[in-house]
Structures are given as structure tokens and as C-alpha cells.
PDB file of all heavy atoms in Angstrom:
ATOM      1  N   SER L   1       0.827  -1.196   0.000  1.00 97.00           N
ATOM      2  CA  SER L   1       0.000   0.000   0.000  1.00 97.00           C
ATOM      3  C   SER L   1       0.866   1.252   0.000  1.00 97.00           C
ATOM      4  O   SER L   1       2.069   1.199   0.278  1.00 97.00           O
ATOM      5  CB  SER L   1      -0.918  -0.010   1.221  1.00 97.00           C
ATOM      6  OG  SER L   1      -1.828  -1.091   1.137  1.00 97.00           O
ATOM      7  N   GLY L   2       0.230   2.411  -0.259  1.00 98.00           N
ATOM      8  CA  GLY L   2       0.953   3.655  -0.430  1.00 98.00           C
ATOM      9  C   GLY L   2       1.240   4.406   0.851  1.00 98.00           C
ATOM     10  O   GLY L   2       2.351   4.392   1.355  1.00 98.00           O
ATOM     11  N   ILE L   3       0.220   5.103   1.402  1.00 97.00           N
ATOM     12  CA  ILE L   3       0.398   5.980   2.557  1.00 97.00           C
ATOM     13  C   ILE L   3      -0.618   5.607   3.632  1.00 97.00           C
ATOM     14  O   ILE L   3      -1.805   5.478   3.348  1.00 97.00           O
ATOM     15  CB  ILE L   3       0.190   7.460   2.170  1.00 97.00           C
ATOM     16  CG1 ILE L   3       1.231   7.907   1.136  1.00 97.00           C
ATOM     17  CG2 ILE L   3       0.245   8.359   3.395  1.00 97.00           C
ATOM     18  CD1 ILE L   3       0.982   9.313   0.590  1.00 97.00           C
ATOM     19  N   LYS L   4      -0.142   5.477   4.891  1.00 95.00           N
ATOM     20  CA  LYS L   4      -1.038   5.274   6.026  1.00 95.00           C
ATOM     21  C   LYS L   4      -0.755   6.356   7.064  1.00 95.00           C
ATOM     22  O   LYS L   4       0.379   6.555   7.484  1.00 95.00           O
ATOM     23  CB  LYS L   4      -0.854   3.903   6.667  1.00 95.00           C
ATOM     24  CG  LYS L   4      -1.834   3.658   7.813  1.00 95.00           C
ATOM     25  CD  LYS L   4      -1.756   2.255   8.357  1.00 95.00           C
ATOM     26  CE  LYS L   4      -2.790   2.039   9.447  1.00 95.00           C
ATOM     27  NZ  LYS L   4      -2.746   0.655   9.981  1.00 95.00           N
ATOM     28  N   LEU L   5      -1.821   7.044   7.483  1.00 92.00           N
ATOM     29  CA  LEU L   5      -1.710   8.159   8.412  1.00 92.00           C
ATOM     30  C   LEU L   5      -2.514   7.886   9.670  1.00 92.00           C
ATOM     31  O   LEU L   5      -3.709   7.610   9.605  1.00 92.00           O
ATOM     32  CB  LEU L   5      -2.254   9.431   7.763  1.00 92.00           C
ATOM     33  CG  LEU L   5      -1.607   9.834   6.445  1.00 92.00           C
ATOM     34  CD1 LEU L   5      -2.508  10.779   5.686  1.00 92.00           C
ATOM     35  CD2 LEU L   5      -0.264  10.459   6.714  1.00 92.00           C
ATOM     36  N   THR L   6      -1.849   7.957  10.821  1.00 87.00           N
ATOM     37  CA  THR L   6      -2.550   7.985  12.103  1.00 87.00           C
ATOM     38  C   THR L   6      -2.073   9.213  12.861  1.00 87.00           C
ATOM     39  O   THR L   6      -1.965   9.198  14.078  1.00 87.00           O
ATOM     40  CB  THR L   6      -2.301   6.698  12.910  1.00 87.00           C
ATOM     41  OG1 THR L   6      -0.898   6.504  13.093  1.00 87.00           O
ATOM     42  CG2 THR L   6      -2.894   5.492  12.214  1.00 87.00           C
ATOM     43  N   SER L   7      -1.794  10.248  12.106  1.00 82.00           N
ATOM     44  CA  SER L   7      -1.255  11.490  12.660  1.00 82.00           C
ATOM     45  C   SER L   7      -2.370  12.329  13.262  1.00 82.00           C
ATOM     46  O   SER L   7      -3.541  11.996  13.192  1.00 82.00           O
ATOM     47  CB  SER L   7      -0.510  12.251  11.567  1.00 82.00           C
ATOM     48  OG  SER L   7      -1.324  12.366  10.424  1.00 82.00           O
ATOM     49  N   GLY L   8      -1.966  13.461  13.840  1.00 79.00           N
ATOM     50  CA  GLY L   8      -2.928  14.359  14.467  1.00 79.00           C
ATOM     51  C   GLY L   8      -3.428  15.411  13.504  1.00 79.00           C
ATOM     52  O   GLY L   8      -3.951  15.097  12.451  1.00 79.00           O
ATOM     53  N   ALA L   9      -3.221  16.679  13.852  1.00 83.00           N
ATOM     54  CA  ALA L   9      -3.721  17.759  13.011  1.00 83.00           C
ATOM     55  C   ALA L   9      -2.758  18.943  13.077  1.00 83.00           C
ATOM     56  O   ALA L   9      -2.204  19.227  14.131  1.00 83.00           O
ATOM     57  CB  ALA L   9      -5.108  18.173  13.490  1.00 83.00           C
ATOM     58  N   PRO L  10      -2.575  19.637  11.965  1.00 89.00           N
ATOM     59  CA  PRO L  10      -3.162  19.299  10.675  1.00 89.00           C
ATOM     60  C   PRO L  10      -2.413  18.180   9.966  1.00 89.00           C
ATOM     61  O   PRO L  10      -1.211  18.009  10.150  1.00 89.00           O
ATOM     62  CB  PRO L  10      -3.055  20.595   9.881  1.00 89.00           C
ATOM     63  CG  PRO L  10      -1.834  21.263  10.443  1.00 89.00           C
ATOM     64  CD  PRO L  10      -1.804  20.905  11.897  1.00 89.00           C
ATOM     65  N   THR L  11      -3.144  17.434   9.165  1.00 91.00           N
ATOM     66  CA  THR L  11      -2.577  16.430   8.281  1.00 91.00           C
ATOM     67  C   THR L  11      -2.855  16.878   6.858  1.00 91.00           C
ATOM     68  O   THR L  11      -4.005  17.023   6.465  1.00 91.00           O
ATOM     69  CB  THR L  11      -3.225  15.052   8.553  1.00 91.00           C
ATOM     70  OG1 THR L  11      -2.812  14.611   9.853  1.00 91.00           O
ATOM     71  CG2 THR L  11      -2.801  14.039   7.512  1.00 91.00           C
ATOM     72  N   ASN L  12      -1.791  17.102   6.097  1.00 95.00           N
ATOM     73  CA  ASN L  12      -1.922  17.612   4.737  1.00 95.00           C
ATOM     74  C   ASN L  12      -1.222  16.661   3.773  1.00 95.00           C
ATOM     75  O   ASN L  12      -0.023  16.413   3.911  1.00 95.00           O
ATOM     76  CB  ASN L  12      -1.318  19.010   4.631  1.00 95.00           C
ATOM     77  CG  ASN L  12      -1.992  19.991   5.584  1.00 95.00           C
ATOM     78  OD1 ASN L  12      -3.209  20.039   5.652  1.00 95.00           O
ATOM     79  ND2 ASN L  12      -1.206  20.743   6.315  1.00 95.00           N
ATOM     80  N   VAL L  13      -1.977  16.130   2.819  1.00 97.00           N
ATOM     81  CA  VAL L  13      -1.445  15.190   1.826  1.00 97.00           C
ATOM     82  C   VAL L  13      -1.722  15.810   0.464  1.00 97.00           C
ATOM     83  O   VAL L  13      -2.867  15.854   0.019  1.00 97.00           O
ATOM     84  CB  VAL L  13      -2.094  13.795   1.968  1.00 97.00           C
ATOM     85  CG1 VAL L  13      -1.479  12.817   0.991  1.00 97.00           C
ATOM     86  CG2 VAL L  13      -1.964  13.289   3.401  1.00 97.00           C
ATOM     87  N   ILE L  14      -0.663  16.286  -0.195  1.00 98.00           N
ATOM     88  CA  ILE L  14      -0.839  17.167  -1.346  1.00 98.00           C
ATOM     89  C   ILE L  14       0.063  16.728  -2.504  1.00 98.00           C
ATOM     90  O   ILE L  14       1.285  16.591  -2.336  1.00 98.00           O
ATOM     91  CB  ILE L  14      -0.481  18.619  -0.969  1.00 98.00           C
ATOM     92  CG1 ILE L  14      -1.286  19.086   0.250  1.00 98.00           C
ATOM     93  CG2 ILE L  14      -0.694  19.558  -2.149  1.00 98.00           C
ATOM     94  CD1 ILE L  14      -0.749  20.336   0.904  1.00 98.00           C
ATOM     95  N   GLY L  15      -0.519  16.503  -3.669  1.00 98.00           N
ATOM     96  CA  GLY L  15       0.248  16.365  -4.897  1.00 98.00           C
ATOM     97  C   GLY L  15       1.146  15.151  -4.991  1.00 98.00           C
ATOM     98  O   GLY L  15       2.189  15.209  -5.647  1.00 98.00           O
ATOM     99  N   ASN L  16       0.758  14.035  -4.384  1.00 98.00           N
ATOM    100  CA  ASN L  16       1.556  12.808  -4.449  1.00 98.00           C
ATOM    101  C   ASN L  16       1.077  11.918  -5.590  1.00 98.00           C
ATOM    102  O   ASN L  16      -0.113  11.882  -5.900  1.00 98.00           O
ATOM    103  CB  ASN L  16       1.449  12.044  -3.126  1.00 98.00           C
ATOM    104  CG  ASN L  16       1.950  12.877  -1.961  1.00 98.00           C
ATOM    105  OD1 ASN L  16       3.144  13.024  -1.768  1.00 98.00           O
ATOM    106  ND2 ASN L  16       1.022  13.452  -1.201  1.00 98.00           N
ATOM    107  N   ASP L  17       2.009  11.187  -6.215  1.00 98.00           N
ATOM    108  CA  ASP L  17       1.694  10.172  -7.226  1.00 98.00           C
ATOM    109  C   ASP L  17       1.927   8.807  -6.605  1.00 98.00           C
ATOM    110  O   ASP L  17       3.049   8.503  -6.175  1.00 98.00           O
ATOM    111  CB  ASP L  17       2.588  10.317  -8.458  1.00 98.00           C
ATOM    112  CG  ASP L  17       2.220  11.509  -9.317  1.00 98.00           C
ATOM    113  OD1 ASP L  17       1.163  12.132  -9.072  1.00 98.00           O
ATOM    114  OD2 ASP L  17       2.989  11.824 -10.233  1.00 98.00           O
ATOM    115  N   ILE L  18       0.865   7.989  -6.562  1.00 98.00           N
ATOM    116  CA  ILE L  18       0.936   6.668  -5.933  1.00 98.00           C
ATOM    117  C   ILE L  18       0.476   5.638  -6.952  1.00 98.00           C
ATOM    118  O   ILE L  18      -0.671   5.674  -7.405  1.00 98.00           O
ATOM    119  CB  ILE L  18       0.041   6.615  -4.675  1.00 98.00           C
ATOM    120  CG1 ILE L  18       0.443   7.721  -3.684  1.00 98.00           C
ATOM    121  CG2 ILE L  18       0.112   5.243  -4.022  1.00 98.00           C
ATOM    122  CD1 ILE L  18      -0.566   7.944  -2.581  1.00 98.00           C
ATOM    123  N   ILE L  19       1.369   4.716  -7.299  1.00 98.00           N
ATOM    124  CA  ILE L  19       1.028   3.650  -8.242  1.00 98.00           C
ATOM    125  C   ILE L  19       1.224   2.320  -7.529  1.00 98.00           C
ATOM    126  O   ILE L  19       2.303   2.021  -7.037  1.00 98.00           O
ATOM    127  CB  ILE L  19       1.890   3.730  -9.515  1.00 98.00           C
ATOM    128  CG1 ILE L  19       1.648   5.074 -10.217  1.00 98.00           C
ATOM    129  CG2 ILE L  19       1.570   2.568 -10.451  1.00 98.00           C
ATOM    130  CD1 ILE L  19       2.536   5.330 -11.394  1.00 98.00           C
ATOM    131  N   LEU L  20       0.139   1.538  -7.475  1.00 97.00           N
ATOM    132  CA  LEU L  20       0.136   0.268  -6.751  1.00 97.00           C
ATOM    133  C   LEU L  20       0.074  -0.887  -7.733  1.00 97.00           C
ATOM    134  O   LEU L  20      -0.893  -1.027  -8.484  1.00 97.00           O
ATOM    135  CB  LEU L  20      -1.057   0.205  -5.797  1.00 97.00           C
ATOM    136  CG  LEU L  20      -1.153   1.365  -4.798  1.00 97.00           C
ATOM    137  CD1 LEU L  20      -2.431   1.262  -4.000  1.00 97.00           C
ATOM    138  CD2 LEU L  20       0.051   1.396  -3.887  1.00 97.00           C
ATOM    139  N   ASN L  21       1.107  -1.703  -7.730  1.00 95.00           N
ATOM    140  CA  ASN L  21       1.188  -2.917  -8.540  1.00 95.00           C
ATOM    141  C   ASN L  21       0.759  -2.668  -9.990  1.00 95.00           C
ATOM    142  O   ASN L  21      -0.017  -3.426 -10.556  1.00 95.00           O
ATOM    143  CB  ASN L  21       0.364  -4.041  -7.906  1.00 95.00           C
ATOM    144  CG  ASN L  21       0.830  -5.407  -8.379  1.00 95.00           C
ATOM    145  OD1 ASN L  21       2.031  -5.688  -8.391  1.00 95.00           O
ATOM    146  ND2 ASN L  21      -0.096  -6.253  -8.777  1.00 95.00           N
ATOM    147  N   ASN L  22       1.277  -1.597 -10.550  1.00 93.00           N
ATOM    148  CA  ASN L  22       1.009  -1.245 -11.949  1.00 93.00           C
ATOM    149  C   ASN L  22      -0.488  -1.154 -12.255  1.00 93.00           C
ATOM    150  O   ASN L  22      -0.937  -1.463 -13.359  1.00 93.00           O
ATOM    151  CB  ASN L  22       1.703  -2.241 -12.891  1.00 93.00           C
ATOM    152  CG  ASN L  22       1.944  -1.650 -14.260  1.00 93.00           C
ATOM    153  OD1 ASN L  22       2.098  -0.435 -14.402  1.00 93.00           O
ATOM    154  ND2 ASN L  22       1.959  -2.487 -15.272  1.00 93.00           N
ATOM    155  N   GLY L  23      -1.281  -0.746 -11.260  1.00 92.00           N
ATOM    156  CA  GLY L  23      -2.711  -0.541 -11.469  1.00 92.00           C
ATOM    157  C   GLY L  23      -3.586  -1.755 -11.248  1.00 92.00           C
ATOM    158  O   GLY L  23      -4.792  -1.685 -11.436  1.00 92.00           O
ATOM    159  N   VAL L  24      -3.028  -2.864 -10.796  1.00 91.00           N
ATOM    160  CA  VAL L  24      -3.827  -4.066 -10.507  1.00 91.00           C
ATOM    161  C   VAL L  24      -4.322  -3.966  -9.058  1.00 91.00           C
ATOM    162  O   VAL L  24      -3.510  -3.876  -8.140  1.00 91.00           O
ATOM    163  CB  VAL L  24      -3.007  -5.353 -10.716  1.00 91.00           C
ATOM    164  CG1 VAL L  24      -3.829  -6.569 -10.336  1.00 91.00           C
ATOM    165  CG2 VAL L  24      -2.521  -5.440 -12.155  1.00 91.00           C
ATOM    166  N   PRO L  25      -5.642  -3.972  -8.817  1.00 91.00           N
ATOM    167  CA  PRO L  25      -6.180  -3.751  -7.466  1.00 91.00           C
ATOM    168  C   PRO L  25      -6.130  -5.001  -6.583  1.00 91.00           C
ATOM    169  O   PRO L  25      -7.111  -5.728  -6.433  1.00 91.00           O
ATOM    170  CB  PRO L  25      -7.622  -3.321  -7.738  1.00 91.00           C
ATOM    171  CG  PRO L  25      -7.977  -3.986  -9.021  1.00 91.00           C
ATOM    172  CD  PRO L  25      -6.704  -4.053  -9.828  1.00 91.00           C
ATOM    173  N   LEU L  26      -4.987  -5.261  -5.983  1.00 94.00           N
ATOM    174  CA  LEU L  26      -4.824  -6.449  -5.146  1.00 94.00           C
ATOM    175  C   LEU L  26      -5.546  -6.272  -3.813  1.00 94.00           C
ATOM    176  O   LEU L  26      -5.503  -5.211  -3.193  1.00 94.00           O
ATOM    177  CB  LEU L  26      -3.338  -6.720  -4.903  1.00 94.00           C
ATOM    178  CG  LEU L  26      -2.501  -7.000  -6.154  1.00 94.00           C
ATOM    179  CD1 LEU L  26      -1.041  -7.188  -5.786  1.00 94.00           C
ATOM    180  CD2 LEU L  26      -3.025  -8.225  -6.894  1.00 94.00           C
ATOM    181  N   GLU L  27      -6.189  -7.337  -3.351  1.00 93.00           N
ATOM    182  CA  GLU L  27      -6.965  -7.298  -2.112  1.00 93.00           C
ATOM    183  C   GLU L  27      -6.085  -6.891  -0.935  1.00 93.00           C
ATOM    184  O   GLU L  27      -4.941  -7.295  -0.808  1.00 93.00           O
ATOM    185  CB  GLU L  27      -7.597  -8.660  -1.842  1.00 93.00           C
ATOM    186  CG  GLU L  27      -8.608  -8.627  -0.715  1.00 93.00           C
ATOM    187  CD  GLU L  27      -9.456  -9.862  -0.637  1.00 93.00           C
ATOM    188  OE1 GLU L  27      -9.428 -10.682  -1.577  1.00 93.00           O
ATOM    189  OE2 GLU L  27     -10.158 -10.025   0.366  1.00 93.00           O
ATOM    190  N   GLY L  28      -6.648  -6.044  -0.057  1.00 93.00           N
ATOM    191  CA  GLY L  28      -5.950  -5.608   1.144  1.00 93.00           C
ATOM    192  C   GLY L  28      -5.063  -4.394   0.955  1.00 93.00           C
ATOM    193  O   GLY L  28      -4.471  -3.902   1.915  1.00 93.00           O
ATOM    194  N   THR L  29      -4.968  -3.871  -0.264  1.00 96.00           N
ATOM    195  CA  THR L  29      -4.090  -2.727  -0.505  1.00 96.00           C
ATOM    196  C   THR L  29      -4.898  -1.433  -0.629  1.00 96.00           C
ATOM    197  O   THR L  29      -6.080  -1.448  -0.948  1.00 96.00           O
ATOM    198  CB  THR L  29      -3.256  -2.940  -1.780  1.00 96.00           C
ATOM    199  OG1 THR L  29      -4.139  -3.069  -2.908  1.00 96.00           O
ATOM    200  CG2 THR L  29      -2.395  -4.175  -1.677  1.00 96.00           C
ATOM    201  N   PHE L  30      -4.239  -0.317  -0.370  1.00 97.00           N
ATOM    202  CA  PHE L  30      -4.883   0.992  -0.457  1.00 97.00           C
ATOM    203  C   PHE L  30      -3.860   2.017  -0.935  1.00 97.00           C
ATOM    204  O   PHE L  30      -2.660   1.879  -0.717  1.00 97.00           O
ATOM    205  CB  PHE L  30      -5.472   1.410   0.894  1.00 97.00           C
ATOM    206  CG  PHE L  30      -4.495   1.311   2.050  1.00 97.00           C
ATOM    207  CD1 PHE L  30      -3.584   2.324   2.294  1.00 97.00           C
ATOM    208  CD2 PHE L  30      -4.489   0.192   2.860  1.00 97.00           C
ATOM    209  CE1 PHE L  30      -2.683   2.219   3.339  1.00 97.00           C
ATOM    210  CE2 PHE L  30      -3.589   0.080   3.910  1.00 97.00           C
ATOM    211  CZ  PHE L  30      -2.679   1.105   4.155  1.00 97.00           C
ATOM    212  N   GLY L  31      -4.359   3.062  -1.570  1.00 98.00           N
ATOM    213  CA  GLY L  31      -3.494   4.171  -1.961  1.00 98.00           C
ATOM    214  C   GLY L  31      -3.172   5.045  -0.768  1.00 98.00           C
ATOM    215  O   GLY L  31      -2.014   5.260  -0.426  1.00 98.00           O
TER     216      GLY L  31
END
């Protein structure tokens, strides 16, 4: 998976490119 956040505040996620397994949606994964 790409990014996992359990942070506080503020949390800012801006302008990232995330490619997971060349676009194949494997079970249990997240962007």
C-alpha cells in the first residue's frame, strides 16, 4: 500500500503520485 496516516492535526497530503502494482487492485491494498 501507499500511505497510512494515524497522525494528528493538521494532516496535509498534497500532490503525491501513488502507483500500486502497476494498477492491478490487489486485495488488502490501499493508496
